[in-house]
């Protein structure tokens, strides 16, 4: 595939977008399954007002989504009075994109001026206390793909984005997580809102029982195929991060389970929770923008 894009190529994309919309977003939202990446009507991305939708294929050199149901477009507009940009459809490593290409939209959103990234995803619940339909506030991640050296920052570093060796011990903003728990209580969601550790596997296959047992032993609460590399890229260029997983199935950790993980149930749970997610995320956008304005 194409060698890594230069800073100038990313500026070309953000400049193109700045001519196509008058919105100057301060918060970027990555919509996972259930957030409008699949079901469009009624999803969060569809509740953005003054919406200007720009399909990925219209943006010079931007990647295009290939996952069944992921409609690829950037949605610029407002949530409440907050200018935002939402990614309807994200890029996954299993589609064949290198991680730097999956994360390219994060750098473009940085160049558009976002200060905060809300990354949502669907994930398998590994923590036995999690139920299908729960939301997990991500308080940390384990970069399983990075353990093998597969990292979006692999290769030459461009200091214009960030440092060669970025720290990751404060990747998931503490203040945002406190706000998210407060809002969960206010919305009477605290019985389904959890907090835990997320990990990303390359996919596209779901995990084996032995793999899930290993991940459970090392402290993983939810398993997915995204988000970790996007968060690393966001932290590298000093974007504040909030991560949220929708638990769409219970990880199968024994051999006599009569079910198998499947994509359909992921989409179905996403559909079931999109109204709640829409309300919750809209509140978080408003609260996060409020505290950032005080800085
Ligand atoms: N056990 C398990 N359950 C899950 N539910 C959603 N995802 C996130 C991956 N989603 C894929 C396939 O649905 C589409 O991006 C996962 C996962 O990776 N593992």
């Amino acid at each position: 595939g194409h060698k890594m894009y230069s800073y100038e190529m990313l500026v070309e994309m953000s400049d193109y977008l700045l001519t196509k919309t008058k919105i100057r977003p301060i918060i970027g939202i990555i919509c996972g399954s259930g957030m409008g990446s699949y079901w469009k009507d009624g999803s969060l991305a569809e509740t953005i007002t003054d919406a200007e939708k720009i399909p990925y294929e219209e943006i010079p050199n931007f990647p295009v989504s290939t996952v069944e149901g992921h409609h690829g477009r950037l949605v610029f507009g407002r949530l409440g009075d907050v200018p935002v940009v939402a990614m309807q459809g994200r890029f996954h490593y299993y589609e064949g994109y290198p991680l730097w290409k999956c994360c390219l939209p994060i750098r473009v959103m940085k160049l558009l001026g976002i200060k905060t990234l809300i990354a949502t995803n669907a994930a398998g619940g590994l923590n036995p206390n999690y139920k299908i339909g729960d939301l997990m506030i991500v308080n940390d991640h384990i970069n399983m793909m990075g353990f093998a050296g597969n990292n979006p920052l692999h290769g030459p570093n461009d200091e214009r984005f960030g440092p060669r060796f970025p720290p990751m011990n404060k990747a998931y903003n503490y203040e945002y997580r406190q706000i998210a728990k407060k809002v969960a209580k206010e919305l009477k969601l605290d019985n389904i809102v959890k907090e835990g550790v997320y990990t990303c596997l390359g996919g596209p296959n779901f995990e084996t029982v032995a793999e899930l047992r290993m991940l459970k032993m090392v402290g993983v609460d939810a398993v997915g195929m995204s988000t970790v590399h996007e968060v690393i890229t966001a932290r590298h260029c000093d974007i504040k991060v909030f991560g949220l997983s929708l638990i769409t199935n219970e990880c199968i950790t024994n051999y006599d389970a009569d079910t198998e993980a499947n994509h359909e149930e992921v989409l179905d749970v996403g559909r079931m929770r999109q109204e709640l997610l829409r309300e919750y995320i809209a509140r978080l956008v408003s609260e996060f923008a409020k505290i950032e304005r005080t800085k």
Side-chain angles (χ1 to χ4, degrees):
H2 196 289
K3 71 178 184 56
M4 280 180 74
Y5 288 178
S6 65
Y7 182 90
E8 288 71 19
M9 280 180 83
L10 296 177
V11 167
E12 199 182 304
M13 294 178 210
S14 57
D15 283 352
Y16 171 83
L17 291 165
L18 290 170
T19 65
K20 303 295 279 186
T21 174
K22 58 192 174 311
I23 292 286
R24 294 298 176 257
I26 58 167
I27 294 184
I29 304 166
I30 304 178
C31 298
S33 307
M35 296 282 297
S37 278
Y38 183 71
W39 312 105
K40 303 245 271 227
D41 53 313
S43 66
L44 174 97
E46 298 303 300
T47 59
I48 290 172
T49 54
D50 312 329
E52 291 163 316
K53 303 171 181 180
I54 303 174
Y56 292 155
E57 53 272 10
E58 212 184 281
I59 308 165
N61 295 312
F62 212 81
V64 287
S65 283
T66 66
V67 184
E68 175 253 332
H70 273 244
H71 299 268
R73 59 192 188 182
L74 288 180
V75 181
F76 289 85
R78 291 183 185 283
L79 272 176
D81 60 353
V82 183
V84 299
V85 55
M87 280 179 69
Q88 225 173 3
R90 58 144 56 93
F91 306 108
H92 305 83
Y93 187 67
Y94 60 72
E95 295 178 62
Y97 293 115
L99 287 180
W100 65 266
K101 208 166 209 181
C102 296
C103 300
L104 178 152
I106 309 301
R107 289 185 160 179
V108 171
M109 290 192 280
K110 169 70 178 183
L111 292 169
L112 292 173
I114 70 163
K115 301 279 179 280
T116 300
L117 175 73
I118 295 176
T120 69
N121 61 56
L126 195 47
N127 183 313
N129 302 325
Y130 292 5
K131 294 181 303 306
I132 287 178
D134 280 358
L135 304 180
M136 183 189 84
I137 295 168
V138 181
N139 62 14
D140 207 350
H141 70 226
I142 293 180
N143 182 10
M144 282 307 287
M145 294 170 71
F147 283 13
N150 193 359
N151 189 298
L153 305 178
H154 177 82
N157 182 57
D158 190 320
E159 292 285 334
R160 289 173 287 185
F161 281 118
R164 171 77 279 189
F165 305 107
M168 285 295 148
N169 58 300
K170 292 175 179 292
Y172 295 85
N173 188 276
Y174 176 77
E175 212 177 358
Y176 289 168
R177 289 186 281 121
Q178 295 308 100
I179 289 171
K181 284 180 267 190
K182 176 177 68 78
V183 170
K185 278 198 185 64
E186 288 164 6
L187 295 178
K188 306 218 179 334
L189 296 179
D190 39 322
N191 58 327
I192 67 156
V193 173
K194 319 286 185 196
E195 185 172 20
V197 173
Y198 174 89
T199 199
C200 169
L201 302 186
N205 59 284
F206 288 104
E207 317 75 19
T208 68
V209 169
E211 286 161 352
L212 288 170
R213 285 178 176 174
M214 184 197 98
L215 292 171
K216 201 167 172 180
M217 270 188 257
V218 297
V220 171
D221 295 297
V223 189
M225 300 178 193
S226 71
T227 308
V228 165
H229 36 281
E230 291 149 330
V231 167
I232 290 168
T233 303
R235 294 304 301 142
H236 178 249
C237 59
D238 200 24
I239 295 171
K240 290 184 177 181
V241 166
F242 176 75
L244 189 72
S245 293
L246 170 63
I247 304 301
T248 57
N249 48 27
E250 286 167 17
C251 290
I252 300 164
T253 54
N254 60 64
Y255 291 103
D256 49 11
D258 51 8
T259 58
E260 287 187 312
N262 62 82
H263 188 55
E264 293 66 35
E265 71 180 341
V266 172
L267 296 178
D268 291 346
V269 175
R271 177 117 179 145
M272 174 188 86
R273 279 292 192 230
Q274 70 175 11
E275 166 77 30
L276 181 150
L277 277 164
R278 193 175 72 199
E279 193 186 341
Y280 189 40
I281 299 286
R283 274 294 307 277
L284 295 185
V285 163
S286 160
E287 298 292 334
F288 293 173
K290 216 181 287 176
I291 58 160
E292 292 307 325
R293 270 196 286 271
T294 64
K295 291 184 178 144

